Amino acid sequence: MHNVTSATRLLDLLSVFESDERVQVFFSCTDSSALDEGTRDFLTSRGMLHLPWNEAVSHPFDIAVATSRGGDLHKIGFPLICTPHGAGYNKKLRREPGAGSREPGAFGLTDEWLVHDGRLIPSALVLSHAEQLDRLADGCPQALPVAHVAGDPCLDQLNAGLAFRSTYQQALGLLPGQRLVVVSSTWGKGSVLGSPQADVLRRALAELPADEFRVLAAVHPNAWYGHGAWQVRTWLAPLIDAGLILPPPETEVWKSALCAADFLIGDHGSLTMYGVALGIPCILGAFRDSVVAPGSPMQRLGELVPRLSRTQPLPAQLAHAAETQHNDPKLAGLRRSVTSEPGKSAALIRRLLYSWLQLPEPSHPATTRAVPIPSAPSTHGRRLPHLHAKLVSATVSDSSLGPSVSLERFPGALQRSWRSHLSDAHLAADPDDPDLRWPRSADVLLLPRERYPEPDAVKWSHFTARFPGCGLIAVEEADQGCTVLFDDDTRLRARWVDRPAWASFALAASAIHAWARMCPVRDRPRDSIRITVRAGHRLAPALVEFVPVG
């Protein structure tokens, strides 16, 4: 293993040995990566037997398997099988930066990485697609006799996981009708997180209605361990507070997220290539052309997938990607370039490894392992005692069934300008929020039940001096209903009829505020009415019953 990234890739391959008691696996770190922080913890937490590198290379093992070309692999004195590090061979990298004048080729397909002192390092070189044979012929022709096209086990696993899309969505915490946007970031300059001017994660959470979308960040392990997990979570803390799902890097949550995803915002990392291969509508939040190998599928991806526009609304860009990419013949060709042996990698890799072990294969067929279900949404968010400020856009309409209010909510703290999606928004905030800019500017004050347990005891005059701009106060009641106070001291009691799980007293309060703005005091009904509330265009409507009180 080179680092955690190569370790997770290695486990995809080693699953072919499951249930075979004839095979014992040991693990060793090459100690060659500047970003190997967390590797030992990865081993220990999984009970993986570890040998120091010097001991491992001197032991008479039957074979070795490596998913990265880094380190002194030439010191291994027994058969070495080398496999891809990601979705094929798409990056260019020098073993020693600044060495030589020749332009580096694809990492893992050139003699710089495959030959040492004139001797070929790998005994077998696994390729995921036949197109890589031509690039290998240019970069290291002496490796062609040991090359084996064996497909991509990770893509096979992802394709098999698409059948469980709804299972993964539920496990990730999505509500019915919500759509998932995966934002993937590789590491280093030019990645999504390495391009702060692109502002990708904040824009996704700020511009996409929170009731309709969830956003998950799939961050490369090298970024996590290069900066430290605490630092990454600290940088992203305001986004996590706003609902960002941030799974830890050593898990397989990113795989279930891709299976569940409706949209992908990516860069030049392998995860973007896998998402495009699955047919997920994609835009590029960043892309570092200078590190992409010429003639590789990743170079074509950078040419075919649109770049994120700073001036166009993000929802419109995602919608355009969904409309245009599904039937694009050039993208269809790109999808086919990730593996030329779809669904066959488990069988082909098992056959190769067992032939080098000189063991007969197990009698049962080699099968692709299912992507595990995430145990819980992984946010590492802070549980703050106050409600987060929301900017709420509302559309009110009337029908024979009564008033209807459609709401779109956006995190207030992430807005940096009043864009079109906020042109007529109202602000809903907690009066006890320590950040006073929110309650002092609020149109709607939200009073949670645990702090204001007696709605009838709450008076308008208690808040007018501190919050003069407020137009409505909502006090939470049982079952997410609320008592609403207006500035003329009139009250309404709202209760949900057949309340869905996603409905909250904050939604009811914003719906009443929007309805009240459209309905003058003199025209408000004296009897109970029903109003349809829709939070996000794809969520089922709920009914709130308004009962005048007091």
Side-chain angles (χ1 to χ4, degrees):
M1 295 184 301
H2 190 60
N3 48 32
V4 170
T5 309
S6 64
T8 56
R9 184 68 175 180
L10 195 59
L11 293 183
D12 286 341
L13 300 168
L14 298 181
S15 63
V16 301
F17 294 129
E18 289 180 357
S19 79
D20 194 339
E21 297 177 1
R22 299 171 298 171
V23 179
Q24 168 73 60
V25 179
F26 290 81
F27 299 86
S28 186
C29 302
T30 57
D31 298 324
S32 57
S33 173
L35 300 169
D36 63 355
E37 187 72 26
T39 309
R40 300 297 173 88
D41 290 340
F42 183 92
L43 290 166
T44 303
S45 65
R46 287 160 179 77
M48 298 158 69
L49 289 177
H50 172 258
L51 288 177
W53 178 246
N54 290 335
E55 182 179 344
V57 296
S58 62
H59 194 89
F61 284 101
D62 295 289
I63 63 170
V65 182
T67 55
S68 179
R69 304 293 89 85
D72 295 333
L73 299 182
H74 61 275
K75 293 183 177 180
I76 295 175
F78 36 89
L80 169 65
I81 291 86
C82 289
T83 70
H85 186 61
Y89 299 88
N90 291 300
K91 304 288 180 63
K92 57 183 181 181
L93 180 68
R94 284 201 183 282
R95 183 176 286 276
E96 296 183 9
S101 58
R102 191 180 69 175
E103 180 73 11
F107 171 55
L109 293 182
T110 64
D111 53 12
E112 183 178 9
W113 296 99
L114 298 176
V115 175
H116 180 77
D117 288 342
R119 182 181 68 87
L120 189 65
I121 298 173
S123 304
L125 178 64
V126 174
L127 309 180
S128 55
H129 197 286
E131 66 86 14
Q132 294 156 15
L133 289 168
D134 293 333
R135 292 193 284 145
L136 181 64
D138 291 336
C140 186
Q142 69 190 92
L144 280 173
V146 303
H148 298 263
V149 179
D152 189 312
C154 184
L155 183 57
D156 285 353
Q157 191 181 28
L158 291 169
N159 275 315
L162 294 177
F164 310 104
R165 172 180 170 82
S166 59
T167 302
Y168 299 129
Q169 288 176 333
Q170 184 176 0
L172 290 168
L174 271 69
L175 297 172
Q178 280 187 318
R179 291 176 284 181
L180 178 65
V181 178
V182 173
V183 180
S184 71
S185 179
T186 188
W187 62 284
K189 296 180 180 179
S191 65
V192 161
L193 291 185
S195 305
Q197 69 277 7
D199 205 17
V200 177
L201 276 174
R202 186 201 64 82
R203 282 193 63 185
L205 289 157
E207 295 185 38
L208 298 172
D211 293 299
E212 188 175 351
F213 291 90
R214 293 298 307 274
V215 179
L216 180 144
V219 180
H220 196 284
N222 284 0
W224 277 90
Y225 295 115
H227 298 287
W230 177 88
Q231 183 64 80
V232 171
R233 293 189 183 108
T234 299
W235 282 334
L236 300 181
L239 309 182
I240 296 171
D241 290 344
L244 177 69
I245 303 172
L246 184 65
E250 72 278 4
T251 68
E252 295 185 277
V253 175
W254 69 269
K255 294 179 181 178
S256 57
L258 279 186
C259 294
D262 296 278
F263 301 99
L264 173 64
I265 304 175
D267 53 20
H268 53 280
S270 288
L271 196 150
T272 307
M273 180 63 75
Y274 284 133
V276 169
L278 293 177
I280 303 170
C282 179
I283 57 178
L284 295 174
F287 197 85
R288 192 180 180 189
D289 298 273
S290 61
V291 301
V292 175
S296 66
M298 188 64 75
Q299 184 186 50
R300 294 197 294 278
L301 185 150
E303 296 168 350
L304 294 175
V305 176
R307 311 286 172 108
L308 176 67
S309 167
R310 297 187 186 182
T311 58
Q312 296 297 316
L314 180 57
Q317 295 183 63
L318 295 177
H320 183 263
E323 292 169 3
T324 59
Q325 293 182 12
H326 180 67
N327 295 317
D328 187 322
K330 293 182 179 179
L331 278 176
L334 177 62
R335 295 179 188 116
R336 292 191 294 270
S337 70
V338 181
T339 175
S340 54
E341 300 291 343
K344 300 178 181 178
S345 64
L348 293 172
I349 289 172
R350 189 175 80 169
R351 184 183 308 162
L352 175 66
L353 296 180
Y354 273 86
S355 68
W356 280 99
L357 285 170
Q358 300 182 28
L359 284 175
E361 291 187 57
S363 58
H364 61 270
T367 58
T368 298
R369 181 174 57 87
V371 176
I373 299 173
S375 58
S378 302
T379 62
H380 290 279
R382 299 172 290 195
R383 294 188 61 192
L384 298 177
H386 59 83
L387 301 175
H388 294 289
K390 292 285 199 307
L391 284 157
V392 187
S393 294
T395 303
V396 182
S397 59
D398 284 310
S399 69
S400 58
L401 299 177
S404 177
V405 181
S406 294
L407 302 173
E408 291 186 334
R409 300 191 296 170
F410 306 88
L414 302 186
Q415 308 302 324
R416 292 185 180 170
S417 63
W418 290 88
R419 294 179 176 268
S420 58
H421 66 288
L422 300 174
S423 59
D424 192 32
H426 67 261
L427 176 61
D430 190 317
D432 301 314
D433 192 328
D435 189 343
L436 294 179
R437 58 181 167 156
W438 303 120
R440 284 177 178 173
S441 304
D443 303 286
V444 176
L445 289 177
L446 302 171
L447 281 58
R449 190 181 183 191
E450 66 268 16
R451 277 179 277 136
Y452 300 89
E454 299 181 16
D456 292 341
V458 175
K459 305 297 182 184
W460 183 267
S461 58
H462 295 167
F463 297 90
T464 52
R466 288 191 295 153
F467 311 112
C470 176
L472 181 150
I473 298 172
V475 190
E476 182 184 6
E477 291 194 349
D479 202 25
Q480 292 295 308
C482 60
T483 290
V484 171
L485 289 72
F486 293 98
D487 57 3
D488 60 357
D489 281 330
T490 60
R491 293 175 180 244
L492 291 176
R493 181 163 290 131
R495 57 174 178 256
W496 295 98
V497 179
D498 298 324
R499 181 181 76 90
W502 51 266
S504 66
F505 92 99
L507 279 173
S510 285
I512 296 171
H513 178 267
W515 167 79
R517 289 178 62 191
M518 301 294 293
C519 184
V521 175
R522 64 178 182 274
D523 296 332
R524 292 176 191 168
R526 296 182 179 275
D527 298 323
S528 162
I529 65 167
R530 290 194 177 194
I531 187 169
T532 300
V533 181
R534 185 184 296 270
H537 298 307
R538 299 187 62 187
L539 287 176
L543 294 176
V544 174
E545 184 178 18
F546 297 149
V547 183
V549 295

